[in-house]
Amino acid sequence: MTHDLSLWGLFWQAHIVVKLVMIGLVAASVYSWAIIIDKTLLFRRLHRAMDRFEEVFWSGRSLEELYRSLEERPTTGLASVFVAAMREWKRSFGGTGRSVASLPARIDKVLDVTIQREVERLESRLIFLASVGSAGPYLGLFGTVWGVMTSFVAIAASQNTSLAVVAPGIAEALFATAIGLVAAIPAVIAYNKFQAEVAKAQIRLEGFADEFSAILARQVDERLAAAA
């Protein structure tokens, strides 16, 4: 009996359990790459948007004008933090009866919640990359162990231990481990990279939130002093 040692042949000749493992790993790898591409583009857009927003914010443009230009638009990153704080600010001076003295504390709370939501959005689906990175090699190893067991059973049945008989079955089994590593390695690298990107974005968001909160707190103090 001849064995096809091409990649397709190794897959087609493998045991059904090994095939299912391979299919699962390939599907996980494809989805991982979809996440990797999507997150790469997302972080690239996020950094550009934050750079543009900071340039406009620190250009001296009035906060009211900037808020009006952003309030009706979907926002992300620093713009989301800015809009959330300004919305609370406007509500407090809009005749709602809320205490102006407690406004800085409310703004800080709004900023914290907004930053947390932004971080959760950036971290979405990263857990899948972590799962593939940690479980992929073990799933591949499971496929390999199952394939080796099947090969040994076939060898025992044929009572032929020549390399020509043993090699194809072992190659099919090891192919599962190779697929597991191919799926896991990019997922681990991407997960670590994106977690670092999330951490950098969070630091930047928190830094801006602290600065903007201080600006609004000074304006509250000025209004309270003028009203006294």
Side-chain angles (χ1 to χ4, degrees):
M1 178 181 177
T2 60
H3 291 271
D4 183 1
L5 296 181
S6 66
L7 296 182
W8 174 250
L10 291 175
F11 167 77
W12 194 249
Q13 293 158 184
H15 189 274
I16 183 62
V17 173
V18 182
K19 282 180 184 173
L20 291 175
V21 170
M22 291 180 181
I23 291 171
L25 288 170
V26 169
S29 180
V30 170
Y31 188 54
S32 293
W33 276 106
I35 294 173
I36 290 169
I37 293 170
D38 178 65
K39 290 296 182 182
T40 299
L41 297 176
L42 172 64
F43 283 109
R44 192 172 296 169
R45 290 194 303 269
L46 177 67
H47 291 312
R48 283 201 299 260
M50 289 201 290
D51 289 340
R52 285 196 301 268
F53 176 82
E54 282 195 321
E55 184 178 349
V56 173
F57 181 83
W58 298 112
S59 66
R61 187 176 178 182
S62 77
L63 298 181
E64 290 287 342
E65 182 184 349
L66 182 57
Y67 174 67
R68 283 195 300 271
S69 69
L70 295 174
E71 64 175 329
E72 300 300 330
R73 250 195 257 181
T75 55
T76 58
L78 297 178
S80 291
V81 174
F82 170 80
V83 169
M86 284 298 294
R87 188 171 289 128
E88 182 62 29
W89 170 273
K90 299 283 285 183
R91 286 171 181 163
S92 295
F93 290 101
T96 60
R98 298 185 181 185
S99 171
V100 175
S102 64
L103 177 57
R106 293 199 305 274
I107 288 177
D108 286 342
K109 185 65 176 177
V110 167
L111 290 173
D112 289 341
V113 171
T114 305
I115 290 172
Q116 186 59 39
R117 286 175 181 165
E118 284 295 303
V119 170
E120 288 174 359
R121 182 178 68 86
L122 295 177
E123 287 182 334
S124 66
R125 295 186 295 167
L126 291 187
I127 190 65
F128 183 82
L129 294 180
S131 299
V132 171
S134 60
Y138 292 105
L139 288 173
L141 183 60
F142 169 75
T144 296
V145 170
W146 192 279
V148 169
M149 288 168 50
T150 304
S151 297
F152 282 146
V153 169
I155 290 167
S158 65
Q159 297 182 349
N160 188 345
T161 58
S162 69
L163 185 60
V165 174
V166 175
I170 300 299
E172 293 162 12
L174 292 175
F175 188 38
T177 295
I179 295 177
L181 293 175
V182 167
I185 292 173
V188 169
I189 294 172
Y191 175 77
N192 292 333
K193 179 181 183 299
F194 291 142
Q195 282 291 358
E197 290 286 348
V198 170
K200 285 195 295 185
Q202 184 173 0
I203 290 171
R204 194 169 178 182
L205 290 169
E206 290 174 347
F208 174 77
D210 290 341
E211 290 179 313
F212 190 45
S213 178
I215 292 172
L216 295 181
R218 282 196 299 271
Q219 293 197 13
V220 169
D221 291 342
E222 290 170 3
R223 295 200 178 201
L224 290 175

